[in-house]
Amino acid sequence: MTLYLVLGILAVLILWFVGMYNRFVTLVNRVKEAWADMEVQLKRRYDLIPNLIGTVKGYAVHETKAFESVSKARAEAMGAGGLEDKGKAENMLTGALKSIFAIAEAYPELKANQNFLALQAELSDTENKIQASRRFYNTNVRDLNISIESFPGNIIAGIFNFSKQEFFQLEDEAAKEPVKVSF
């Protein structure tokens, strides 16, 4: 009788242990999936920028400094490695894009251009998708980090070296505002 009780308790502990491990694997994979979704949206943004610059350049030829800053910020954002670097680069890119839209304000014929309007709508949609992806990623990171920090999950996380992940955050208040793309 005692043997069955010990075996039952041991079986429950093993099942609990396996369940906790599988939960961590699931949470880690959700974080990876969320980051991949965000990268898709960021790439979409990067792909729209040269088209936007080309369209605006046709009307505002003398604004080369602004075009160069956007191109430079885009290149840095695409090449950023870590999460913190990626956040800083995205902040720079957002600021640079705001300058392009400020330039467009001075050119009424540009604001009426169908290509510009289509790019404006695409970029606005992409910015909304980036925000949604950022929230989805940060929610999954939060869930993983809570599980890693909470008892008894912290024991399983420590045994199998599951580590906390960083949130994808914007650094400055100006960058927290979406890019204004409406006129």
Side-chain angles (χ1 to χ4, degrees):
M1 183 70 168
T2 307
L3 179 63
Y4 290 124
L5 182 62
V6 170
L7 288 175
I9 291 172
L10 188 59
V12 167
L13 284 175
I14 290 171
L15 289 174
W16 172 83
F17 195 81
V18 168
M20 288 295 291
Y21 176 82
N22 288 338
R23 175 168 164 68
F24 280 112
V25 169
T26 300
L27 290 170
V28 167
N29 285 321
R30 283 184 185 163
V31 168
K32 288 178 183 177
E33 174 191 15
W35 182 250
D37 288 346
M38 188 176 321
E39 283 185 326
V40 166
Q41 296 308 320
L42 293 173
K43 181 176 181 339
R44 182 176 179 211
R45 181 188 200 195
Y46 303 149
D47 291 345
L48 286 172
I49 290 171
N51 296 332
L52 179 69
I53 290 173
T55 302
V56 175
K57 217 182 242 189
Y59 289 87
V61 179
H62 62 282
E63 303 285 355
T64 57
K65 185 179 179 186
F67 301 135
E68 289 171 3
S69 72
V70 171
S71 296
K72 181 182 175 193
R74 176 183 176 261
E76 288 179 17
M78 289 175 70
L83 204 54
E84 185 177 336
D85 292 339
K86 190 76 155 171
K88 288 179 182 176
E90 288 299 323
N91 289 337
M92 287 180 26
L93 181 56
T94 298
L97 281 173
K98 287 179 182 180
S99 70
I100 292 292
F101 286 107
I103 290 169
E105 288 287 333
Y107 297 91
E109 60 279 355
L110 173 61
K111 293 191 297 187
N113 179 288
Q114 290 302 318
N115 286 340
F116 181 73
L117 293 174
L119 288 168
Q120 177 186 20
E122 274 296 309
L123 190 58
S124 178
D125 182 52
T126 300
E127 292 295 329
N128 290 334
K129 289 178 179 177
I130 289 170
Q131 287 179 354
S133 295
R134 183 182 298 125
R135 283 192 304 270
F136 181 63
Y137 172 79
N138 285 340
T139 298
N140 282 293
V141 167
R142 181 202 63 211
D143 292 346
L144 174 63
N145 290 348
I146 288 171
S147 293
I148 288 173
E149 293 174 344
S150 300
F151 181 80
N154 59 353
I155 295 169
I156 306 298
I159 291 171
F160 291 103
N161 295 321
F162 289 107
S163 59
K164 290 174 53 177
Q165 299 294 313
E166 293 180 50
F167 290 101
F168 187 69
Q169 298 178 354
L170 298 175
E171 296 297 321
D172 59 307
E173 289 300 315
K176 289 182 180 178
E177 298 174 18
V179 176
K180 183 178 180 183
V181 293
S182 60
F183 297 102

